[in-house]
Amino acid sequence: MDFISTRNNEIKKTLSQAIHRGLAEDGGLFVPEYLPKVDIKKFSRDLTYPEFSEKILHTFFQNDLLEKKLLDICTNAFMFTVPLEKLNDNTFILELFHGPTLSFKDFGARFLAECLNILSEKHKTTIMVATSGDTGSAVASAFYKKSNCNVIILYPANKISIRQQHQITCWDKNILALEVNGTFDDCQDLVKSAFKNPWWQQHLHLSSANSINIGRLLPQISYYAYCSVQFYHRYHMLPGFIVPTGNLGNATAAYWAKLMGFPIREIVLATNANKIIVDYLQTGEYAPRHSISTLANAMDVGNPSNFERLQYLFNSYDMFKNNVKAISATDDDIRLTIKSIYEQYKRIICPHTATACFARQQLSEQPWVVVATADPSKFENIIEPIIKLKVPIPSQMQYLLDKPTKVINVNKNLVDIQEVISDFLR
Ligand SMILES: *Cc1c(COP(=O)(O)O)cnc(C)c1O
């Protein structure tokens, strides 16, 4: 299969090329040329998660260098569980946070790391990534000791939680984390300018691991597919999914899974107070803006980078409105939801998952799967004062917390950063 730019169907690349480039040369995002239709009767119920993923992703990999490696990629990347828990009769929780850095970003980052390490056998690649929290740790962990790749992570000073920072700065060898005196948007701008800068391009063979990379999105189709098939077999009903949303990457993967024919009834996006999508659905006007800080910080996005992919999928306002539904939660809604879910069910949820649980309360009696995007232990500073209880620390978190960290502070200036990284690359 080929992958085309959202801005021009004539820009066509193989999957490997699309993964390596990140962004199309016209500034568009890569999307599959078509979404292969599946016949769910063909999936045996006994497949493991990696086997299932290989089967549903296979068409996307057809005729690509990576095709023969796909099962290995899935097996190495998805070495953790993907449980579907029941909250009550018509609410379920899909826990996507059992990977090494405890957020759903482990799925995409680990899959991409396997792909890029294979693709960089002849030429070392430098992955550059801006993070507002969970991407940084997932990418660092996924690429750690992948011998064909170096990683540079930029994160904003004083804008992420202490444990998030710990998880980003506890690596060595091929991982370099830089604390930038600026905002997340500044970090993202630095990455963009590095990509446009000839010195950086020539010396580093840059590639991106942000959710614009198609290599991160494709593996996210798998868990929607897997969960919906299991749900359908178990309950003979089609579930709806509620997806906590920031850059719209996870949401795009959910729509792709639905359009491929997996048994998904509908999809609802949950946002925090950064409710650009909610406003777009109401007004028909897409008005990106600066992000505002909320309790669900991994969703603090004012201009979602994957909006272009959703718009490509639903290419008129009417079509968009007929397919996309979104509900936003304020910080107060998030706090109240964390509290009530704990009191009612003795379950501790993270602030991002809370936006989806809040949305669940506004929706029908039909069955809904809330997508749980992070383990609560990453946000103990927010949760513990609300439920007045210590959040248990999973073994993966303890392992990372026990590692020493190193903070390297830089100004938001590419020339300064260039000096720091030339030591790292030596
Ligand atoms: C990144 C992230 C999100 C938002 O996902 P997008 O794909 O950017 O929409 C939600 N929750 C958590 C915990 C995250 O880390």
Side-chain angles (χ1 to χ4, degrees):
M1 177 182 298
D2 281 334
F3 288 76
I4 54 180
S5 163
T6 43
R7 297 187 190 172
N8 180 355
N9 285 354
E10 291 186 356
I11 296 187
K12 273 190 195 183
K13 296 281 182 276
T14 67
L15 178 60
S16 293
Q17 289 167 335
I19 288 176
H20 219 278
R21 295 189 59 98
L23 213 60
E25 58 258 39
D26 62 350
L29 306 183
F30 287 113
V31 291
E33 205 174 15
Y34 64 95
L35 291 168
K37 289 277 182 282
V38 294
D39 177 1
I40 68 156
K41 291 188 214 78
K42 283 204 186 127
F43 296 108
S44 148
R45 295 178 68 170
D46 309 323
L47 296 178
T48 64
Y49 186 79
E51 288 165 350
F52 178 93
S53 302
E54 193 272 337
K55 265 199 161 21
I56 73 130
L57 295 176
H58 186 254
T59 311
F60 297 111
F61 281 71
Q62 240 157 23
N63 303 323
D64 190 80
L65 268 58
L66 294 170
E67 182 176 2
K68 291 206 170 57
K69 305 272 177 68
L70 182 57
L71 184 59
D72 287 343
I73 293 171
C74 292
T75 306
N76 295 338
F78 309 136
M79 34 52 108
F80 47 91
T81 58
V82 192
L84 178 66
E85 301 270 320
K86 188 170 179 172
L87 192 66
N88 59 35
D89 282 347
N90 50 16
T91 310
F92 300 79
I93 299 199
L94 177 61
E95 294 187 351
L96 300 181
F97 52 72
H98 294 281
T101 67
L102 301 158
S103 87
F104 81 92
K105 299 219 164 60
D106 284 325
F107 286 89
R110 293 181 63 81
F111 190 90
L112 178 66
E114 292 294 326
C115 294
L116 271 176
N117 200 48
I118 296 170
L119 297 176
S120 309
E121 267 159 13
K122 294 210 186 84
H123 235 314
K124 230 178 177 172
T125 301
T126 304
I127 320 299
M128 204 171 171
V129 66
T131 182
S132 57
D134 296 322
T135 296
S137 49
V139 168
S141 160
F143 282 90
Y144 188 52
K145 296 186 179 170
K146 289 260 180 279
S147 55
N148 305 326
C149 302
N150 286 319
V151 175
I152 300 170
I153 299 167
L154 304 181
Y155 67 93
N158 308 318
K159 295 275 190 315
I160 65 178
S161 82
I162 291 171
R163 281 193 190 161
Q164 278 180 323
Q165 172 157 339
H166 193 110
Q167 290 182 306
I168 294 172
T169 51
C170 67
W171 308 92
D172 48 38
K173 305 214 160 45
N174 62 329
I175 313 289
L176 180 72
L178 299 176
E179 179 190 77
V180 176
N181 295 324
T183 62
F184 170 64
D185 291 333
D186 293 327
C187 296
Q188 218 157 19
D189 288 345
L190 283 167
V191 173
K192 281 185 199 147
S193 42
F195 270 79
K196 287 188 203 132
N197 184 301
W199 184 90
W200 284 72
Q201 273 304 358
Q202 263 171 29
H203 287 78
L204 303 184
H205 299 278
L206 287 180
S207 191
S208 162
N210 282 100
S211 69
I212 53 163
N213 196 307
I214 187 77
R216 256 183 67 177
L217 283 200
L218 293 177
Q220 293 181 231
I221 300 173
S222 296
Y223 45 76
Y224 292 107
Y226 183 74
C227 174
S228 66
V229 169
Q230 284 209 327
F231 192 98
Y232 185 71
H233 281 317
R234 214 182 296 168
Y235 301 106
H236 308 288
M237 280 192 288
L238 276 64
F241 282 89
I242 310 171
V243 185
T245 292
N247 260 321
L248 289 167
N250 208 3
T252 300
Y255 284 105
W256 285 352
K258 183 171 191 296
L259 293 170
M260 286 170 74
F262 287 102
I264 296 171
R265 189 185 70 245
E266 58 187 305
I267 292 163
V268 171
L269 311 183
T271 75
N272 57 25
N274 294 280
K275 56 191 191 57
I276 293 82
I277 290 295
V278 176
D279 294 346
Y280 174 64
L281 288 167
Q282 256 164 25
T283 64
E285 202 137 329
Y286 181 67
R289 59 198 86 148
H290 286 297
S291 62
I292 50 178
S293 296
T294 75
L295 296 177
N297 68 357
M299 293 157 55
D300 291 348
V301 179
N303 186 9
S305 50
N306 285 290
F307 180 72
E308 199 166 319
R309 282 194 170 110
L310 270 198
Q311 215 178 19
Y312 179 86
L313 214 52
F314 308 124
N315 56 20
S316 70
Y317 175 55
D318 277 342
M319 201 173 162
F320 201 100
K321 241 169 81 155
N322 290 337
N323 285 281
V324 181
K325 189 170 172 159
I327 295 174
S328 74
T330 63
D331 275 359
D332 278 343
D333 297 330
I334 291 173
R335 274 192 212 96
L336 283 174
T337 307
I338 291 173
K339 189 162 189 286
S340 71
I341 296 281
Y342 181 68
E343 282 170 358
Q344 230 178 323
Y345 303 105
K346 294 285 168 273
R347 271 192 83 95
I348 306 176
I349 53 171
C350 89
H352 310 83
T353 308
T355 65
C357 287
F358 173 77
R360 168 67 191 97
Q361 295 162 6
Q362 336 284 313
L363 295 165
S364 69
E365 293 300 301
Q366 288 173 299
W368 289 97
V369 175
V370 165
V371 175
T373 49
D375 185 272
S377 66
K378 295 188 100 163
F379 306 96
E380 91 293 354
N381 55 329
I382 294 167
I383 298 168
E384 287 178 355
I386 299 174
I387 61 168
K388 307 205 167 28
L389 199 82
K390 281 260 172 253
V391 178
I393 298 181
S395 58
Q396 303 98 305
M397 173 68 83
Q398 194 58 54
Y399 172 76
L400 296 178
L401 292 179
D402 289 342
K403 283 160 72 96
T405 61
K406 189 165 114 194
V407 173
I408 304 170
N409 184 275
V410 295
N411 287 326
K412 50 178 183 185
N413 174 330
L414 206 55
V415 179
D416 289 1
I417 295 177
Q418 201 167 311
E419 260 170 47
V420 180
I421 63 148
S422 28
D423 285 345
F424 164 67
L425 297 171
R426 209 163 278 148

